[in-house]
Amino acid sequence: MPFHILEKDITKVHAGAIVDPANPYPTYGGGTDAAIYKAAGAQKLLEERKMIGNIRPGNCAATHAFDLDADYIIHTVGPSWEGGNAGELDILAGCYRNSLECARMLQCRSVAFPLIGTGVYGFPKDKALQTALSQITDFLSAPEKDHMMNIKLAVFDRENFEMPAPLMNDLDAYLAENFVPEKPVEEEEELYDEEEPKKKSFFSLFGKKKKKEAPEEPAPAEDAGSARLSDYVRARGENLGPMVSRFAGEKSIAMDELLRRSNLSPARFHRILSGEEAPEKKDVLELSLGLRLTVQEAGSLLSAAGYRYSASDVTDVITWYLLTHHLYNCVQAEALYFARADYGMQ
């Protein structure tokens, strides 16, 4: 279930399809819509857009992407916010749902969305984001889908990225209690102590002798006389695959269901579990969410992949929060990782 959030201008994102929050009529307005037209080549794009005609709110239509780093532009029309009683959330959900289905029909391997509704449409930012996350979750977790797309959410302005306040307040309270900032490494005192110069040995005149650090173990070379690098990678994760299978069996989770729950592409999912590719730490954390593990079980899974939990790693602590509170949605987890990526750096 590959979903990623990028702090980036959507016109600079590489994807099979770029989603444009479009005007319902064959013209373009301001904001993201205007930026997409300008980057694609406004006149060329507008000529093709005119061939489509009007688009109803919640619906979409595709054109070529011209000068963008994409194959298609999917134009979708969102509703204006009128207080929430005019079906706005359903229409906004339709923008995501129909655009995702359009990208699937176009056989796109990836699709990039802006945060629809947070600009001139005037949506409450948290409602707009939650609608996006909900529709992306539904699309990626549907068992009948045969096309696993990489879905990207491009966030140009972090001020528009707003998770629900109750959830963030609860998470921040947990982080305040459980996150441990890394202590800065203090430099060793050099030369001699001014207070007791007479007690210094000959060696102290040249500073304290530093402990010799153990050399890092080099990865095996890829020559005929050494173990192959692929064998080294397999050895590092040799216990991970069997442990994932055991947990999946204990939790009654089929492997295809685990794939849909985990934020991994099918190819990487199978390579990691077969030991052909070493997982990144975040991969293991997201597998833990997909498996609905306890924090103790997640710690064992990390250990099997050669990692350990760190209270100074905000991603680790957020994952422990999610596991403790039985929140196993990897799309929501990605949003929380993004929202608190800078936690502890101030």
Side-chain angles (χ1 to χ4, degrees), residues 21 30-33 78-81 92 96 114-126 128-129 156-157 159-161:
T32 303
D33 185 28
S80 296
W81 181 255
L92 182 60
Y96 285 96
L115 271 171
I116 303 171
T118 57
V120 295
Y121 292 129
F123 261 74
K125 296 178 176 62
D126 60 338
L129 177 59
F156 180 72
D157 186 349
E159 290 185 0
N160 287 333
F161 190 91

Side-chain angles (χ1 to χ4, degrees), residues 153-167:
L153 185 63
V155 178
F156 180 72
D157 186 349
R158 273 185 173 265
E159 290 185 0
N160 287 333
F161 190 91
E162 188 174 302
M163 295 289 285
L167 174 62

Side-chain angles (χ1 to χ4, degrees), residues 1-141:
M1 187 170 65
F3 169 65
H4 306 284
I5 302 174
L6 313 171
E7 189 171 3
K8 196 169 186 178
D9 180 346
I10 195 168
T11 65
K12 304 293 195 300
V13 176
H14 170 71
I18 298 291
V19 177
D20 170 33
N23 194 294
Y25 311 107
T27 184
Y28 59 94
T32 303
D33 185 28
I36 288 174
Y37 269 82
K38 182 178 179 180
Q43 195 58 42
K44 294 180 291 185
L45 179 54
L46 186 57
E47 287 301 316
E48 188 168 345
R49 173 69 179 82
K50 287 178 179 178
M51 296 172 65
I52 296 170
N54 295 347
I55 303 173
R56 291 172 58 85
N59 290 350
C60 66
T63 64
H64 292 93
F66 297 102
D67 297 337
L68 288 174
D69 191 11
D71 298 318
Y72 302 99
I73 298 173
I74 297 174
H75 306 265
T76 188
V77 177
S80 296
W81 181 255
E82 298 179 14
N85 296 318
E88 303 98 316
L89 290 174
D90 290 337
I91 295 172
L92 182 60
C95 290
Y96 285 96
R97 184 170 57 251
N98 292 325
S99 296
L100 286 165
E101 187 61 23
C102 180
R104 188 185 74 83
M105 295 296 291
L106 292 169
Q107 298 185 335
C108 296
R109 298 183 64 181
S110 60
V111 58
F113 286 89
L115 271 171
I116 303 171
T118 57
V120 295
Y121 292 129
F123 261 74
K125 296 178 176 62
D126 60 338
K127 293 184 184 299
L129 177 59
Q130 283 303 101
T131 300
L133 299 180
S134 175
Q135 292 304 310
I136 291 169
T137 297
D138 289 349
F139 180 83
L140 290 174
S141 60

Side-chain angles (χ1 to χ4, degrees), residues 97-321:
R97 184 170 57 251
N98 292 325
S99 296
L100 286 165
E101 187 61 23
C102 180
R104 188 185 74 83
M105 295 296 291
L106 292 169
Q107 298 185 335
C108 296
R109 298 183 64 181
S110 60
V111 58
F113 286 89
L115 271 171
I116 303 171
T118 57
V120 295
Y121 292 129
F123 261 74
K125 296 178 176 62
D126 60 338
K127 293 184 184 299
L129 177 59
Q130 283 303 101
T131 300
L133 299 180
S134 175
Q135 292 304 310
I136 291 169
T137 297
D138 289 349
F139 180 83
L140 290 174
S141 60
E144 68 273 12
K145 298 299 181 187
D146 58 357
H147 187 83
M148 293 289 289
M149 281 190 299
N150 184 3
I151 300 176
K152 306 175 185 181
L153 185 63
V155 178
F156 180 72
D157 186 349
R158 273 185 173 265
E159 290 185 0
N160 287 333
F161 190 91
E162 188 174 302
M163 295 289 285
L167 174 62
M168 296 311 298
N169 291 340
D170 194 50
L171 173 61
D172 286 341
Y174 184 90
L175 287 170
E177 184 176 349
N178 293 279
F179 180 80
V180 180
E182 288 185 347
K183 294 182 179 179
V185 179
E186 297 181 2
E187 295 184 3
E188 293 189 34
E189 185 180 354
E190 298 291 341
L191 299 179
Y192 52 86
D193 188 343
E194 293 285 357
E195 295 181 0
E196 295 182 325
K198 293 182 181 180
K199 295 182 180 180
K200 291 295 169 186
S201 68
F202 171 81
F203 294 103
S204 69
L205 296 176
F206 298 92
K208 292 183 179 179
K209 187 176 180 181
K210 296 182 179 179
K211 294 181 180 180
K212 187 176 180 181
E213 295 182 357
E216 293 184 2
E217 182 180 349
E222 283 255 41
D223 56 44
S226 303
R228 292 180 60 82
L229 180 59
S230 57
D231 294 332
Y232 172 74
V233 170
R234 273 192 205 94
R236 179 182 174 186
E238 62 183 352
N239 295 321
L240 182 65
M243 185 174 288
V244 168
S245 297
R246 176 170 64 81
F247 281 138
E250 292 173 356
K251 311 283 183 179
S252 299
I253 299 172
M255 296 307 284
D256 59 343
E257 182 183 357
L258 176 59
L259 171 59
R260 293 194 301 272
R261 288 182 177 182
S262 305
N263 204 17
L264 293 166
S265 69
R268 286 199 68 232
F269 179 83
H270 293 298
R271 287 198 303 269
I272 287 172
L273 296 195
S274 67
E276 295 177 8
E277 180 176 338
E280 295 179 4
K281 188 178 187 182
K282 191 162 177 260
D283 297 331
V284 184
L285 294 174
E286 288 173 332
L287 280 169
S288 299
L289 291 171
L291 286 164
R292 300 184 175 183
L293 301 182
T294 65
V295 293
Q296 292 80 11
E297 291 167 338
S300 298
L301 200 66
L302 280 173
S303 179
Y307 298 108
R308 59 184 297 181
Y309 171 84
S310 170
S312 299
D313 186 325
V314 69
T315 302
D316 290 16
V317 181
I318 291 174
T319 305
W320 254 233
Y321 168 83

